[in-house]
């Protein structure tokens, strides 16, 4: 008899089906027989073929189910005209902020991006005591170490770059999301100001929850884009930003990624993508990174920012 059920949310489209399957394979590799793992894949466009391939990874204690994001939004918010001040397409960009509202049956859950590799039992992440905080997440190393985006976090978002967290791995106190009307606060900001941001859902989460974030240790979200020196106890690797192991060689922990990929129906597809990724594609990724940096520089100059608006609200 399993001792507990651990809800783990993902969100994916057809483009990320193969990395998601690899992430799930790595989760299964480290799953304890003592637990049940309820994997909930939120999607907007995910073919039946991909759903069937991912479902083939199901085990006795790892269940995988798929929920159409638009349908879930519709069922949850159809009768709430206040919420619908923002259209569905806009809202679904911020799906992880609505998990508490969409799934009232859960008081606590994990959310993880698809571009991850799990190296330990994810139940250990779930078991971390949030000490009453609304969310647990790890400091974003890119934001913490780069002076341009560090200034953006401090001066536009309104949170110290040393406390700004990455939203690719979240331990969520869903009951507190509901009890504090988190999404109402978010929707008011979204529909009133339409801020231009470099990482929209992540920036809103940091700005609204900044005094209520439990700082997870880096080992639960080791971001490969900015690797610390000689850091070994990685329990969860996050291929954040642009250098993914299915497009770049010599990415940290790539050997383990490919070992997990071999246990999915997508290994050949991923290997083909790596072989066919051109220098032009990689240059385009570099260009996207440059765009983020330029935008971060510009946005700190805006007179109306998350920091200025929330600071005004706090002073009232």
């Amino acid at each position: 008899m399993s001792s507990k059920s651990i809800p783990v949310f993902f969100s994916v489209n057809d483009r990320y089906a193969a990395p998601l399957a690899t992430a799930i394979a790595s989760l299964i590799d480290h799953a304890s027989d003592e637990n049940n793992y309820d994997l909930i894949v939120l999607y907007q466009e995910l073919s039946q073929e991909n759903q069937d391939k991912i479902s083939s990874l199901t085990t006795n204690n790892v269940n995988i189910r798929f929920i159409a994001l638009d349908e879930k939004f519709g069922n949850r918010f159809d009768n709430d005209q206040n919420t619908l001040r923002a259209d569905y397409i806009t809202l679904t960009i911020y799906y992880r902020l609505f998990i508490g509202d969409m799934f009232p049956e859960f008081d606590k859950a994990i959310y993880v991006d698809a571009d991850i590799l799990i190296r330990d039992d994810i139940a250990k992440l779930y078991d971390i005591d949030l000490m009453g905080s609304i969310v647990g997440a790890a400091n974003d190393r890119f934001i913490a170490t780069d002076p341009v985006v560090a200034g953006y976090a401090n001066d536009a978002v309104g949170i110290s770059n040393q406390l700004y967290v990455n939203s690719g791995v979240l331990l969520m106190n869903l009951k507190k999301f509901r009890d504090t009307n988190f999404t109402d606060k978010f929707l008011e900001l979204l529909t009133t100001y339409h801020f231009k941001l470099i990482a929209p859902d992540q920036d809103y989460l940091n700005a609204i929850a900044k005094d209520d974030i439990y700082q997870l240790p880096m080992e639960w979200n080791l971001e490969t884009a900015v690797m610390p020196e000689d850091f070994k106890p990685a329990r969860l690797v996050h291929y954040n930003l642009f250098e993914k192991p299915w497009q770049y060689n010599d990415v940290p922990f790539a050997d383990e990624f490919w070992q997990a990929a071999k246990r999915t129906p997508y290994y050949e597809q991923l290997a083909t993508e790596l072989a066919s990724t051109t220098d032009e594609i990689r240059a385009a990724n570099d260009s996207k990174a440059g765009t983020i940096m330029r935008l971060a520089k510009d946005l700190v100059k805006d007179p109306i920012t998350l920091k200025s608006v929330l600071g005004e609200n706090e002073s009232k």
Side-chain angles (χ1 to χ4, degrees):
M1 204 59 188
S2 294
S3 60
K4 60 188 171 187
S5 181
I6 300 163
V8 182
F9 286 88
F10 297 88
S11 183
V12 74
N13 55 25
D14 283 306
R15 182 178 167 219
Y16 265 80
L20 172 63
T22 305
I24 290 174
S26 70
L27 182 153
I28 291 168
D29 287 343
H30 298 93
S32 169
D33 292 337
E34 297 179 356
N35 303 314
N36 279 325
Y37 300 81
D38 184 14
L39 308 190
I40 302 157
V41 179
L42 306 175
Y43 71 92
Q44 285 187 272
E45 294 182 359
L46 188 65
S47 70
Q48 189 61 52
E49 178 184 1
N50 278 324
Q51 291 186 42
D52 292 343
K53 285 181 178 180
I54 295 167
S55 293
S56 72
L57 299 171
T58 298
T59 71
N60 288 336
N61 68 327
V62 179
N63 180 60
I64 305 169
R65 53 192 174 116
F66 301 87
I67 296 178
L69 198 53
D70 290 341
E71 179 182 339
K72 195 67 178 178
F73 266 94
N75 291 342
R76 180 64 183 86
F77 297 125
D78 255 349
N79 297 320
D80 188 343
Q81 295 304 313
N82 192 47
T83 298
L84 295 180
R85 288 176 299 174
D87 63 81
Y88 283 156
I89 293 174
T90 299
L91 288 179
T92 52
I93 296 170
Y94 303 96
Y95 52 86
R96 71 195 77 180
L97 303 182
F98 288 94
I99 289 174
D101 288 312
M102 292 190 293
F103 296 88
E105 65 269 34
F106 296 123
D107 285 345
K108 186 180 184 182
I110 293 168
Y111 168 83
V112 280
D113 282 344
D115 54 350
I116 62 162
L117 177 75
I118 297 169
R119 305 180 73 241
D120 201 348
D121 185 1
I122 204 165
K124 296 177 182 177
L125 172 59
Y126 184 80
D127 286 341
I128 290 175
D129 185 352
L130 288 173
M131 307 295 288
S133 297
I134 194 169
V135 69
N139 180 224
D140 190 309
R141 291 279 300 164
F142 173 54
I143 300 290
T145 58
D146 185 279
V148 172
V149 286
Y152 169 82
N154 287 298
D155 299 330
V157 181
I159 183 171
S160 164
N161 60 299
Q162 298 300 320
L163 297 176
Y164 180 102
V165 294
N166 180 273
S167 65
V169 179
L170 299 174
L171 180 59
M172 307 182 75
N173 183 345
L174 299 179
K175 183 177 185 301
K176 192 166 187 179
F177 268 83
R178 293 188 291 269
D179 289 348
T180 60
N181 299 312
F182 180 94
T183 52
D184 287 344
K185 298 171 187 175
F186 159 69
L187 284 166
E188 183 176 359
L189 288 170
L190 175 70
T191 58
T192 302
Y193 297 99
H194 304 285
F195 297 105
K196 195 170 184 181
L197 303 165
I198 67 169
D201 63 285
Q202 183 168 287
D203 288 342
Y204 276 111
L205 179 65
N206 274 278
I208 299 170
K210 69 175 181 178
D211 297 322
D212 202 13
I213 299 173
Y214 181 93
Q215 294 284 326
L216 291 177
M218 190 194 310
E219 63 191 19
W220 281 113
N221 187 352
L222 183 66
E223 299 170 284
T224 56
V226 186
M227 285 282 290
E229 292 183 10
D230 300 323
F231 189 85
K232 295 176 181 174
R235 297 172 186 264
L236 188 152
V237 175
H238 183 190
Y239 299 107
N240 66 315
L241 298 181
F242 302 110
E243 294 191 10
K244 314 296 187 184
W246 58 92
Q247 288 190 324
Y248 288 76
N249 292 303
D250 302 321
V251 176
F253 301 95
D255 288 346
E256 292 181 40
F257 173 87
W258 289 107
Q259 288 169 16
K262 286 178 181 178
R263 293 188 288 279
T264 77
Y266 292 99
Y267 174 73
E268 294 297 335
Q269 176 182 322
L270 287 164
T272 298
E273 183 169 354
L274 176 62
S276 60
T277 299
T278 63
D279 289 341
E280 287 77 14
I281 292 174
R282 297 185 181 105
N285 287 339
D286 291 341
S287 177
K288 292 175 187 175
T291 299
I292 291 173
M293 301 300 281
R294 288 190 295 274
L295 185 59
K297 284 182 181 179
D298 291 340
L299 291 178
V300 296
K301 303 171 188 174
D302 282 359
I304 300 176
T305 62
L306 278 167
K307 179 181 180 178
S308 68
V309 169
L310 290 174
E312 288 175 7
N313 291 343
E314 288 172 3
S315 64
K316 289 179 182 178

